[in-house]
Amino acid sequence: MMEELVKSSVEQLADAISLLQKSSDQMFKDIERLNAELAEVNGEMQDIMHYAEFATFNASEGYNIAKELKNVREKRRKIKDELDVLTFIQQTVKERKQQINGLSSIVKGVNVAKAKQENRIYKPRVRVEMFERLKSK
């Protein structure tokens, strides 16, 4: 029972570290994607504002332009809010990179220990004949 608990906690720790690494990798991809979306939305916003600057339109059309601009600004705000959180996490991860890499070495060490345990070979020291019976079976 105790062995199962220890094994379970070691596996849980390895899984948690692995998940942390995958999440960190995904976070960097998300930041890249959000930056691209932000650039796209900024371009949309500029297009709408320049259209409003150069076009002649009535009150109804002006309302529609303002509504479009508002929608784009709200979309931009959502992207920037998400980027703010991810950028903070990214900065913290960069500052703690050495500790995170240390966690990776824990997972590697656990895997090495498991591999050794699975391929264990015992060489008898004194009672050689006892183990020779095992070979004949």
Side-chain angles (χ1 to χ4, degrees), residues 27-74:
M27 177 191 59
F28 287 105
K29 291 176 185 174
D30 288 345
I31 289 172
E32 286 180 22
R33 176 185 52 80
L34 288 169
N35 279 323
E37 286 180 25
L38 182 62
E40 177 79 17
V41 168
N42 282 337
E44 275 186 73
M45 193 170 58
Q46 289 297 318
D47 288 349
I48 294 168
M49 289 190 303
H50 281 95
Y51 179 80
E53 178 183 355
F54 297 121
T56 303
F57 46 84
N58 63 32
S60 175
E61 292 168 332
Y63 171 79
N64 288 332
I65 292 169
K67 189 175 177 182
E68 280 186 56
L69 184 58
K70 180 180 180 182
N71 290 338
V72 169
R73 295 284 302 179
E74 287 173 349

Side-chain angles (χ1 to χ4, degrees), residues 18-135:
S18 179
L19 180 61
L20 176 65
Q21 291 169 325
K22 288 176 186 173
S23 296
S24 178
D25 293 343
Q26 184 60 48
M27 177 191 59
F28 287 105
K29 291 176 185 174
D30 288 345
I31 289 172
E32 286 180 22
R33 176 185 52 80
L34 288 169
N35 279 323
E37 286 180 25
L38 182 62
E40 177 79 17
V41 168
N42 282 337
E44 275 186 73
M45 193 170 58
Q46 289 297 318
D47 288 349
I48 294 168
M49 289 190 303
H50 281 95
Y51 179 80
E53 178 183 355
F54 297 121
T56 303
F57 46 84
N58 63 32
S60 175
E61 292 168 332
Y63 171 79
N64 288 332
I65 292 169
K67 189 175 177 182
E68 280 186 56
L69 184 58
K70 180 180 180 182
N71 290 338
V72 169
R73 295 284 302 179
E74 287 173 349
K75 184 176 177 182
R76 182 178 185 272
R77 174 57 41 215
K78 285 179 184 178
I79 293 169
K80 286 191 73 175
D81 287 348
E82 193 172 347
L83 265 173
D84 282 345
V85 172
L86 290 176
T87 302
F88 171 76
I89 295 169
Q90 177 188 40
Q91 186 61 35
T92 304
V93 166
K94 282 182 180 178
E95 291 169 1
R96 309 259 188 302
K97 188 170 184 148
Q98 200 170 19
Q99 290 93 341
I100 292 171
N101 288 341
L103 294 175
S104 299
S105 68
I106 291 172
V107 173
K108 289 176 187 171
V110 166
N111 290 336
V112 166
K114 283 182 179 179
K116 283 181 182 178
Q117 291 168 358
E118 289 175 6
N119 299 316
R120 231 179 250 164
I121 298 174
Y122 178 75
K123 183 178 178 188
R125 294 169 178 83
V126 177
R127 297 191 156 198
V128 177
E129 70 284 345
M130 182 183 257
F131 284 87
E132 289 195 14
R133 281 186 267 153
L134 286 175
K135 290 180 187 176

